Amino acid sequence: MQIGGKASVQLLPGTYVFENGVKISGGMIVGDGVSIVVLSGDVNISAQATVTLSPTTTGSCAGVTLMQPASNSSGMSLSGGSGMMIEGAMGAPGGKISLTGSSSVSGAGAYMGDMVVADQVKLAGNGVIKIGQEGTTPMQSVV
């Protein structure tokens, strides 16, 4: 799946399964009650995109918004900007998740995920990235 430019995509509640990666380089994608499973390839979401996603609450993917199976060792890169809000669990147990705050973000930074599961996690950038519910203490990047 690729989304860019000024595209506007609304995902209806459900589970979406993709092969060959997901790239969101611009535009807008929103979905309430969605789980995105990427069987193969990278996940790359850039700060130019407006992303608002929350997970399904029932079924085998309940609470999971963005996941790769352990057999997918590709990376998951999320460059947070003020327009990124991903609630729910994110996972790449066989790969590396990079959460990068945008230098143009001031104050609270991006809000990404209630839980992050990965072989490796990289946190970088000038912004603050909050992992967890509102009211929790945000993690500060150390660069």
Side-chain angles (χ1 to χ4, degrees), residues 33-140:
V34 300
S35 293
I36 298 172
V37 180
V38 182
L39 298 179
S40 62
D42 294 338
V43 172
N44 189 329
I45 302 175
S46 73
Q48 290 77 31
T50 299
V51 179
T52 305
L53 300 171
S54 66
T56 59
T57 57
T58 60
S60 61
C61 291
V64 176
T65 304
L66 188 56
M67 180 62 73
Q68 297 176 181
S71 60
N72 183 356
S73 59
S74 299
M76 186 182 292
S77 175
L78 296 98
S79 299
S82 59
M84 182 163 317
M85 182 172 178
I86 299 176
E87 298 176 5
M90 295 185 300
K96 179 179 183 178
I97 296 179
S98 297
L99 302 173
T100 306
S102 171
S103 59
S104 64
V105 173
S106 62
Y111 179 67
M112 294 189 236
D114 294 333
M115 178 171 61
V116 176
V117 177
D119 181 48
Q120 297 178 26
V121 175
K122 177 183 177 184
L123 177 63
N126 296 327
V128 174
I129 297 174
K130 293 185 214 177
I131 299 176
Q133 298 293 326
E134 283 294 322
T136 60
T137 303
M139 296 177 66
Q140 297 282 339

